[in-house]
Amino acid sequence: MQSFEDLLTAAEIAHGHLCAGQILGVRMAMLGCERLGIDDPRGLDRKRLVTFVEIDRCATDAIAVVTGCRLGKRALKFRDWGKMAATFIDLKPSDGTDQKATRIAALESSKQRARELYPDITDKNQQQMRAYREMEVEDLFSVQWVHVPLHPREMPGYKSQRIACSVCGEGINYDREVLVETEILCQGCAHPESRYYQPIP
C-alpha cells in the first residue's frame, strides 16, 4: 500500500481540499485494509474489496481514493446513516472463509483529545488535522469484526435482466423492480410518496 502521505495527497486532489475528514477517511481506509490483509486495494486486490460508507462527507471521498471502491464499480455502497463510519469487506479472504468484514467508526472523544493535544491551535479544523495525523488508532476509532449479508445482486459484476417499469417505462437494473399485483414497477412508481423528487405537472 502507498504511504499515508501519498494517499492523503491523492485524496486532497480528488476532493479538492484537505481537511480533518480527509485525514480520518484515509486513516480509516488504511486501517480497514490492514485488518483484512489487503495490501493493494487499487491493484492486485481490487476485486476483493467492497466498502459500505455511512456518511456523505469528506471522509467518503478519501475512503474511495484509498480503497479504489467506486459507486460505478458497485464496490462502494452508501447507507445514509450520518455516521463517520465505514465497513470494509474482503470478499475473497486468504483463509478460505466466505467473507471477512471490519467496521470502523470515528470516536466522538477524538475531538476532545485533539483539543487536549493542541489547545494553542484555535482553528478547530487545523487542530483536528494536526491531531488526527498523530493520534493512536485506539484514540481515533472503534473497530469491530462484523458480518455483512450480501445478496448476490449487491456484488460487483452481478448481471441481471433489464426490465421496464409498466407505469413510467424506465428501465430497472439489478432486480430492483417491485411486483404490485400483476404489474412490474420501479421503486418510484411503486412508492411515489418515497421518491426523492416530485414531478412538476
Side-chain angles (χ1 to χ4, degrees):
M1 181 169 292
Q2 288 180 276
S3 71
F4 169 71
E5 291 299 334
D6 287 345
L7 289 169
L8 197 56
T9 298
E12 179 181 4
I13 291 166
H15 186 64
H17 71 271
L18 185 60
C19 62
Q22 291 286 89
I23 294 168
L24 279 177
V26 168
R27 290 199 64 189
M28 188 180 286
M30 290 180 76
L31 178 60
C33 289
E34 178 187 317
R35 283 179 56 89
L36 295 173
I38 292 177
D39 298 319
D40 190 8
R42 296 182 303 170
L44 292 174
D45 298 325
R46 72 184 178 279
K47 294 189 177 183
R48 287 176 55 184
L49 193 60
V50 168
T51 302
F52 281 77
V53 291
E54 299 180 19
I55 196 166
D56 54 352
R57 297 284 299 166
C58 308
T60 295
D61 284 347
I63 289 167
V65 166
V66 174
T67 63
C69 293
R70 303 281 190 273
L71 281 171
K73 293 181 180 179
R74 307 195 75 233
L76 185 67
K77 311 292 185 180
F78 174 55
R79 296 297 183 263
D80 193 6
W81 288 9
K83 293 187 174 186
M84 185 67 80
T87 299
F88 304 90
I89 307 163
D90 185 351
L91 299 175
K92 301 172 185 174
S94 56
D95 64 8
T97 57
D98 288 339
Q99 96 170 207
K100 205 176 205 174
T102 186
R103 183 176 181 272
I104 303 172
L107 293 170
E108 281 301 301
S109 57
S110 64
K111 294 175 184 177
Q112 176 59 35
R113 185 72 183 122
R115 286 191 289 273
E116 292 167 359
L117 288 170
Y118 296 105
D120 54 314
I121 301 176
T122 55
D123 180 273
K124 183 177 76 168
N125 186 54
Q126 292 300 320
Q127 183 185 67
Q128 291 173 357
M129 285 174 59
R130 175 101 182 256
Y132 293 170
R133 284 174 178 267
E134 303 167 2
M135 286 168 62
E136 297 294 328
V137 165
E138 54 271 16
D139 291 330
L140 275 179
F141 304 118
S142 67
V143 183
Q144 64 184 140
W145 292 108
V146 296
H147 175 72
V148 182
L150 279 177
H151 191 280
R153 69 175 171 246
E154 292 291 336
M155 301 294 279
Y158 177 74
K159 305 286 187 217
S160 70
Q161 181 181 0
R162 187 173 170 87
I163 298 171
C165 174
S166 59
V167 172
C168 68
E170 294 175 1
I172 310 162
N173 291 316
Y174 307 117
D175 304 330
R176 298 306 200 263
E177 71 274 5
V178 178
L179 185 62
V180 177
E181 296 179 0
T182 59
E183 286 190 305
I184 294 174
L185 305 179
C186 67
Q187 299 282 338
C189 291
H191 309 287
E193 71 286 351
S194 68
R195 286 180 181 148
Y196 72 91
Y197 67 93
Q198 293 301 317
I200 298 173

